[in-house]
Amino acid sequence: MAFSAMHKQLKVTTFVVSLLIGGAAVANTEGADPYAEPSADYLRQFAEQGAKVFVLERFDAEGKLVARSTERLEGAIGIDGPTGRTIAGRRISLRGLTACPTEKVVYNSVQTWGCDDAARDYAEAVYNRRGSVILCKTLALTSADGEAMPASCFVLVGGNGEPFRTVNDDDSMVFLGLTNIGRTPDGRSRRPDLEASQSLSRSMGFQNAD
């Protein structure tokens, strides 16, 4: 099913910072990990009735959770193509991924779409129509002005009779053939955890729809 794009300015109605960078490390909540996909139960602890919540977790080089902020949001999440998200005024780039490996992709199994349009349609549905908690995890301890912050993002969907589950944005974009995994200058994968999804995507013909 296709969903029309809706772009509205984000409004942050409440903002709580549980710890500022520079203090003692936040005690790792069970399930907190800089790389692993969080469970639906982990995300549900941040849920608020009738509200969309954005959680940002920052991890240090040793994988310790050092800061967490929680914001209650109104309005739409900005979907800036396959790898770009704007949440609470923060520009986020999905970690280690590059956008649109091909101009056209196979979307909804049989339809040929432009890559950017398909990414926006899918991500709009997840973030703005179905999601109640958005968790982005980053190894960047500070955010440079004007630069997108590399992060992995996960969305809690479900409720109202539907089982709760976690949507892994990074994995979804790779599996749908809307992004490629970046490489280091010496050719190593920047996301070895997503290599299987990329291989499956290519075997199913999601890319190179022309």
Side-chain angles (χ1 to χ4, degrees), residues 84-100:
R85 310 286 179 256
T86 301
I87 310 174
R90 294 180 177 85
R91 292 178 57 234
I92 292 171
S93 178
L94 299 186
R95 180 174 61 88
L97 303 181
T98 62
C100 287

Side-chain angles (χ1 to χ4, degrees), residues 122-182:
Y122 178 84
E124 285 280 357
V126 172
Y127 280 94
N128 291 321
R129 293 182 180 272
R130 302 185 63 206
S132 56
V133 175
I134 301 162
L135 168 64
C136 294
K137 304 194 290 187
T138 182
L139 298 177
L141 298 186
T142 59
S143 301
D145 291 340
E147 293 187 6
M149 173 178 58
S152 290
C153 294
F154 308 89
V155 185
L156 178 69
V157 300
N160 297 321
E162 178 188 359
F164 285 100
R165 66 185 182 91
T166 300
V167 175
N168 183 329
D169 195 6
D170 300 28
D171 188 85
S172 295
M173 290 295 106
V174 170
F175 176 72
L176 291 172
L178 305 176
T179 63
N180 265 343
I181 296 171

Side-chain angles (χ1 to χ4, degrees), residues 42-95:
Y42 183 80
L43 294 177
R44 287 183 68 184
Q45 69 181 307
F46 305 110
E48 296 184 21
Q49 184 68 32
K52 188 187 298 290
V53 177
F54 173 50
V55 181
L56 176 63
E57 293 184 340
R58 296 183 187 270
F59 295 81
D60 65 16
E62 297 179 350
K64 295 179 180 178
L65 177 64
V66 296
R68 179 189 291 123
S69 63
T70 305
E71 309 184 21
R72 184 175 179 177
L73 306 174
E74 292 182 354
I77 306 303
I79 307 301
D80 311 315
T83 62
R85 310 286 179 256
T86 301
I87 310 174
R90 294 180 177 85
R91 292 178 57 234
I92 292 171
S93 178
L94 299 186
R95 180 174 61 88

